Amino acid sequence: MNENILEMKNITKRYPGVLALDNVSFSLNKGEVHALVGENGAGKSTLVKILSGAVQKTEGEILINGKKASLSNPIAAKELGINQIYQELNLAFNMSVMENIFLGNMPKKSYFVDFDTMYEESKKVLDELNINIDPRTKIEDLGVGDQQMIEIAKSIYAEPDILIMDEPTAALSKTEIDRLFSVILSLKEKGKSIIYISHRLEELWQIGDRATVLREGKKIFTKSLSDLTENSITTAMVGREIEEKYPSFSINPGEKILSVKNLSSADKLKNISFDLHKGEILGIAGLVGAGRTELMRAVFGADTIDEGEIYIKGENIKINNPYQAIDNGIGLIPEDRKSHGLVLDLSIKKNITLPILKKLSKYGFINHKEDFDIAENYRDKMSIKTPNIDFIARQLSGGNQQKVVIAKWLSANVDIILFDEPTRGIDVGAKIEVYELMIELLKEGVGIIMTSSELPEILEMSSRILVLHRGEITGEFEKEEIKDICQEDILSCAMGSDRNEK
Amino acid sequence: MKNKDFKKTNNTKNEFFSKHLLLFVILGISLILSLMSEHFLTMSNFINIARQISINFILAAGLTMVIITGGIDLSVGSIVAFSGVVAGMYLNTGGNFITAILLALLIGTLCGFINGILVSRFKMASFIATLGMMSMARGLALVLTGGSSITIDNSSYTFIGGGYLFGIPMPVVVAVIIFVIVYLLLNKTRLGRTFFAIGGNEEASRLSGIKVANKHLIVYSISGFLAGLASVVLTARLWAAPPIAGQGFELHAIAASVIGGASLMGGTGTILGTLYGAFIIGIIRNGLNLLGVASFWQQFVIGLIIILAVLFDRIRKNKME
């Protein structure tokens, strides 16, 4: 079974002024799941992009099945049986599931598309993956988790020999991940090889055989996963020992700063009430589609609400748009930082000061020195890794982009911050930095509401927890209870069993 | 991957070159034309070119801002005709020239404001809203005049088109003032910054507390105002306000912006680039005239330049990636 299918030898990739990959070798056996790990910017994406033909190597050699391969473009790579599932969704949102699966390759009956065959075939693929979706459904009508599964189905349908998965589980719920893993294992049995990139290290042992760790463009090691622990991988990734995944901290909740009363909006949220105090993190758990993001957006005024009242520091206020929310000291760090958090083609500086332009200007003119100083200050304080703050946000790694989004609200000096999936798609090192920032904020008296699909994150970071199910609160855990509860307690509420009824 | 895109930033020479590439293009074209025609490289011809492009530039300045916010304004050419006709008719009733100018500016702004309302409050695609306004403003100009041109005979008014200030033609003076104001607006003010933010990512801007709808309203109003201003300059130069004036002006204004580097996707564009764009169009027209090339060819050449400019920009960006 140890048949070598891919050999990347001494790969070097040089960009003007930067060495993205430095003499990295990587190999893949038939039927192997090889995990590729490293912090953002370590070179993982560059390495797999070279393999998928999206980026050209500067030096080195690639052998596929022992033969030298030239991967000059993505089509050449596809023809050699290499297929990549990208982190970002590559789907035509206005088309149906089956059309997406067959995109560019639709079955034909004389000159016309043969929809019946297409339907049957896609049904088969979806069944194989245990995905319970009608192939005729439009992509835009699906949740993010389901869309991700379709993306995976699409790649698997092409039956590649080498499948590259870049963070496939980032948007998936627990059950969806299990489903994906069983698919990966069955692909493995069929002799397919998979390069698996993930920030969720704990997953690797369920599916992986070997792991290669990259750091700053260099290979640290390739080892069998059975010889590794989560700790030893993290240490190799970061280059130093990381004692704790979550920082420990004590909380001293202060006065009540936010009260939400009987909030309802269409069929998304039903009768939600809760309080938030200064210096605490209120965690909101729930499955995908439970209304976590909707709740955040409703409080922030990004979506309209039908009913309900919001009190800030005891005062009943109306929040009809984000402008009013910010005016009342609320900031939102959105789930999708690329399309909601940042203007990617604006500089880091201009992104950071976007919410406070009014404060920065006099008679409509921006005070450029202050503008620069504030942004520079946050780059320094939050160690945003960039040569200078005039770089556009698009060029930053996920972790650094997230820091820019957080910096926006720090500069705006808000006292309630809504974190929607604060650490999605960012690496261990940056995650801890985000947690530490949150704790720093708590000390300054900020109240935080956080949603996360990672239950350990909710359990470790929250001082109180609310669980949502189909837009309703089905469980509430107070500070004293949190240390006694486990993931199952939260999950059962998230599945819909009301805690109070038990 | 953060590292891969970090390029050397100390390469200022290169940066200067790419930023002012169009300037070199202008110099190149000028060099060729001056070799081909002795009349090209004269002061009077240069002033002539500057005067010819000033109306296009004034309109293009508005278009550049609209395009930066991710929109488009097709109505400016028709607004030029409509507000000119109104100002001209007012002058013919014996009206005062200042009031006539203000009237033209007001009409232009009003048309732009309506565009803005349609785009921002009724969420209409800017292409559609301004296409409607294009036809409506043109229609009103024709209705008011019955199709015939209005003659303007007021020397204070026509001074704006034909007069000189310190030896510089008035249209050029107006264009320079607009250049300075728009430059400051885009680079130094909060409003300008928000135009770029909205064009880059409207939802992220909204979630950063920017009142997006208001900014749309403002940018279309400005574009309309500038169309009103261009109308004053044009009618003052012609001594007449024809209801068919300004046809195709919107396309030349869009061309100047796009040649200057504004992207119809929104979020990018500079007023200096637009000035260069207007100059390139102006110089080529002027040169072809001097060389006696049939005016039909001018259209072809300008179209070719638009395509080459955008193509070149694409290639440069691809290379960077």
Side-chain angles (χ1 to χ4, degrees):
Chain A
M1 196 60 179
N2 245 353
E3 199 183 323
N4 189 309
I5 179 162
L6 169 76
E7 190 78 53
M8 296 178 87
K9 280 186 190 161
N10 309 90
I11 304 289
T12 295
K13 174 67 194 177
R14 225 172 265 123
Y15 286 101
V18 176
L19 196 58
L21 284 175
D22 184 5
N23 206 12
V24 173
S25 295
F26 182 87
S27 70
L28 190 61
N29 296 328
K30 204 164 154 51
E32 177 190 36
V33 175
H34 193 151
L36 188 57
V37 290
E39 289 200 279
N40 284 329
K44 300 170 307 230
S45 294
T46 313
L47 187 70
V48 296
K49 272 184 192 159
I50 287 174
L51 192 57
S52 66
V55 163
Q56 298 306 308
K57 61 188 186 303
T58 316
E59 281 162 36
E61 204 178 25
I62 299 174
L63 301 174
I64 290 173
N65 290 322
K67 265 183 276 169
K68 211 173 156 185
S70 132
L71 300 163
S72 51
N73 58 56
I75 297 169
K78 253 186 201 143
E79 277 166 3
L80 286 163
I82 301 168
N83 211 338
Q84 174 163 11
I85 302 173
Y86 289 92
Q87 216 171 332
E88 290 89 16
L89 295 169
N90 280 309
L91 298 168
F93 280 76
N94 54 341
M95 294 173 91
S96 68
V97 168
M98 59 181 189
E99 283 168 314
N100 269 283
I101 292 177
F102 283 88
L103 210 58
N105 186 23
M106 295 199 187
K108 281 188 193 132
K109 208 187 266 169
S110 66
Y111 290 104
F112 298 98
V113 175
D114 180 358
F115 282 102
D116 293 337
T117 312
M118 200 152 96
Y119 180 84
E120 295 299 321
E121 290 283 307
S122 24
K123 191 103 187 79
K124 242 187 265 167
V125 181
L126 294 178
D127 284 346
E128 210 174 300
L129 294 176
N130 261 324
I131 304 172
N132 227 339
I133 296 169
D134 182 356
R136 292 194 193 95
T137 321
K138 272 193 180 179
I139 297 289
E140 60 195 1
D141 296 333
L142 297 174
V144 181
D146 284 336
Q147 289 173 351
Q148 183 80 40
M149 291 306 286
I150 301 301
E151 182 82 53
I152 291 164
K154 189 175 141 188
S155 313
I156 288 172
Y157 177 75
E159 299 211 321
D161 297 325
I162 299 172
L163 189 58
I164 302 165
M165 295 186 167
D166 193 353
E167 291 276 348
T169 56
L172 300 189
S173 70
K174 182 83 179 61
T175 35
E176 287 166 326
I177 291 175
D178 289 341
R179 204 159 64 177
L180 173 67
F181 284 177
S182 69
V183 171
I184 290 179
L185 292 175
S186 79
L187 287 172
K188 223 167 125 168
E189 266 166 38
K190 285 185 199 157
K192 309 283 180 195
S193 312
I194 292 166
I195 300 174
Y196 189 86
I197 299 177
S198 179
H199 284 122
R200 297 189 180 179
L201 296 181
E202 68 278 6
E203 297 173 349
L204 303 181
W205 282 267
Q206 296 180 44
I207 44 165
D209 300 301
R210 286 189 296 167
T212 292
V213 178
L214 297 181
R215 184 171 79 230
E216 287 162 10
K218 294 190 182 67
K219 180 160 109 174
I220 305 302
F221 60 65
T222 299
K223 283 184 186 169
S224 165
L225 271 166
S226 51
D227 298 335
L228 291 168
T229 62
E230 207 170 312
N231 241 332
S232 59
I233 292 183
T234 331
T235 311
M237 276 168 61
V238 186
R240 63 190 146 86
E241 196 96 19
I242 290 207
E243 305 82 31
E244 295 277 346
K245 267 175 85 178
Y246 298 94
S248 63
F249 61 104
S250 60
I251 36 155
N252 300 301
E255 63 203 86
K256 205 192 283 179
I257 44 173
L258 172 77
S259 285
V260 171
K261 291 201 174 133
N262 309 320
L263 185 85
S264 296
S265 100
D267 50 348
K268 301 278 189 193
L269 300 169
K270 281 170 225 141
N271 208 14
I272 290 186
S273 304
F274 62 84
D275 295 329
L276 177 72
H277 301 84
K278 277 187 163 187
E280 72 165 353
I281 299 181
L282 175 65
I284 296 182
L287 301 177
V288 173
R292 291 174 299 169
T293 298
E294 288 77 4
L295 177 57
M296 296 284 215
R297 287 177 61 91
V299 173
F300 189 63
D303 296 331
T304 48
I305 55 174
D306 297 334
E307 259 175 79
E309 285 164 340
I310 291 173
Y311 294 83
I312 288 182
K313 291 174 189 151
E315 207 181 317
N316 184 2
I317 55 154
K318 283 265 163 292
I319 298 182
N320 296 321
N321 54 49
Y323 177 81
Q324 288 171 340
I326 295 165
D327 230 26
N328 283 293
I330 306 178
L332 170 72
I333 290 160
E335 180 182 16
D336 186 343
R337 67 181 150 264
K338 283 185 180 164
S339 51
H340 295 157
L342 294 166
V343 183
L344 287 173
D345 286 322
L346 276 193
S347 69
I348 296 163
K349 174 184 82 180
K350 290 176 182 173
N351 269 292
I352 291 179
T353 55
L354 201 53
I356 53 160
L357 279 180
K358 200 172 187 176
K359 271 187 253 168
L360 281 182
S361 14
K362 210 172 175 188
Y363 308 119
F365 282 83
I366 297 170
N367 181 335
H368 280 264
K369 188 178 170 333
E370 218 177 315
D371 187 27
F372 180 85
D373 288 347
I374 287 176
E376 190 62 36
N377 175 30
Y378 283 110
R379 169 179 96 124
D380 197 46
K381 206 164 148 187
M382 308 177 71
S383 44
I384 298 169
K385 286 180 200 122
T386 171
N388 67 62
I389 52 173
D390 288 323
F391 263 69
I392 61 168
R394 187 187 293 281
Q395 293 171 326
L396 296 177
S397 67
N400 282 302
Q401 286 181 342
Q402 188 69 326
K403 286 188 205 168
V404 174
V405 182
I406 297 173
K408 274 167 65 172
W409 301 116
L410 297 188
S411 77
N413 223 349
V414 293
D415 33 39
I416 299 163
I417 303 189
L418 316 172
F419 281 84
D420 197 353
E421 299 281 356
T423 62
R424 167 169 293 174
I426 65 181
D427 56 62
V428 194
K431 262 186 190 175
I432 291 173
E433 282 180 276
V434 170
Y435 297 142
E436 278 166 356
L437 271 167
M438 291 168 85
I439 294 163
E440 198 60 39
L441 287 169
L442 294 182
K443 283 185 195 148
E444 288 169 20
V446 170
I448 292 176
I449 303 178
M450 175 183 83
T451 72
S452 175
S453 23
E454 290 185 44
L455 280 178
E457 184 171 279
I458 289 270
L459 280 169
E460 294 289 335
M461 294 301 295
S462 311
S463 18
R464 283 189 303 133
I465 297 172
L466 292 182
V467 188
L468 287 183
H469 171 71
R470 291 192 187 156
E472 275 177 289
I473 294 178
T474 48
E476 212 174 329
F477 298 91
E478 290 301 323
K479 184 183 163 195
E480 308 78 49
E481 302 171 277
I482 286 183
K483 48 186 180 301
D484 303 324
I485 61 170
C486 55
Q487 301 193 17
E488 279 67 31
D489 294 319
I490 292 184
L491 264 176
S492 78
C493 292
M495 304 290 222
S497 58
D498 199 309
R499 185 159 184 253
N500 300 327
E501 283 168 15
K502 264 195 275 180
Chain B
M1 296 284 100
K2 72 168 182 292
N3 287 326
K4 78 160 209 203
D5 289 315
F6 286 176
K7 286 163 221 92
K8 271 185 206 165
T9 48
N10 55 4
N11 209 340
T12 45
K13 212 193 233 170
N14 218 344
E15 215 167 75
F16 177 84
F17 186 75
S18 76
K19 205 171 170 184
H20 297 281
L21 184 76
L22 290 171
L23 183 61
F24 294 103
V25 173
I26 292 171
L27 292 177
I29 299 173
S30 302
L31 187 70
I32 296 169
L33 288 173
S34 62
L35 292 175
M36 291 170 80
S37 163
E38 52 182 324
H39 304 293
F40 183 78
L41 208 63
T42 59
M43 195 58 196
S44 67
N45 190 44
F46 180 77
I47 288 178
N48 195 17
I49 293 174
R51 183 167 42 206
Q52 281 170 352
I53 68 166
S54 48
I55 288 172
N56 185 22
F57 174 75
I58 293 167
L59 293 174
L63 250 312
T64 301
M65 287 186 275
V66 172
I67 290 173
I68 285 172
T69 65
I72 194 81
D73 187 348
L74 299 176
S75 64
V76 290
S78 297
I79 295 175
V80 165
F82 178 40
S83 40
V85 161
V86 174
M89 291 175 83
Y90 174 75
L91 283 171
N92 284 350
T93 64
N96 165 290
F97 81 100
I98 293 184
T99 320
I101 293 170
L102 292 178
L103 201 57
L105 298 178
L106 182 74
I107 297 275
T109 312
L110 205 64
C111 292
F113 184 81
I114 294 169
N115 284 335
I117 291 281
L118 295 174
V119 172
S120 66
R121 311 287 156 182
F122 296 98
K123 310 285 170 217
M124 223 177 257
S126 57
F127 188 96
I128 304 297
T130 60
L131 184 70
M133 178 56 73
M134 175 180 174
S135 192
M136 289 193 325
R138 177 74 60 201
L140 286 177
L142 289 163
V143 167
L144 284 177
T145 59
S148 52
S149 185
I150 307 275
T151 314
I152 293 173
D153 189 12
N154 178 320
S155 59
S156 305
Y157 187 85
T158 53
F159 176 78
I160 298 165
Y164 290 82
L165 192 71
F166 308 118
I168 303 166
M170 278 306 287
V172 179
V173 173
V174 175
V176 168
I177 293 171
I178 293 304
F179 175 83
V180 172
I181 292 175
V182 175
Y183 180 85
L184 291 176
L185 195 152
L186 283 179
N187 296 292
K188 304 284 176 197
T189 70
R190 179 154 61 103
L191 187 64
R193 177 81 58 90
T194 53
F195 285 168
F196 284 101
I198 291 170
N201 187 337
E202 188 163 323
E203 181 65 4
S205 303
R206 192 173 77 95
L207 294 178
S208 298
I210 291 173
K211 292 170 174 167
V212 173
N214 286 356
K215 310 299 172 196
H216 281 306
L217 199 56
I218 292 171
V219 82
Y220 288 97
S221 300
I222 295 177
S223 181
F225 171 86
L226 289 172
L229 184 64
S231 160
V232 172
V233 176
L234 180 73
T235 51
R237 234 179 102 195
L238 296 175
W239 289 53
I244 51 157
Q247 271 177 344
F249 278 22
E250 60 284 335
L251 298 180
H252 281 131
I254 294 168
S257 304
V258 170
I259 292 173
S263 158
L264 291 180
M265 304 292 287
T268 49
T270 63
I271 192 64
L272 187 62
T274 299
L275 180 67
Y276 289 154
F279 254 107
I280 288 178
I281 295 174
I283 287 176
I284 287 184
R285 291 186 133 189
N286 173 271
L288 294 177
N289 273 338
L290 289 179
L291 296 176
V293 177
S295 68
F296 299 150
W297 276 107
Q298 292 180 11
Q299 300 228 13
F300 175 83
V301 173
I302 288 164
L304 188 68
I305 288 169
I306 295 172
I307 289 171
L308 286 180
V310 176
L311 196 66
F312 188 80
D313 200 48
R314 255 308 115 67
I315 294 169
R316 199 168 54 95
K317 280 197 183 119
N318 279 349
K319 241 185 204 161
M320 268 163 65
E321 276 157 25

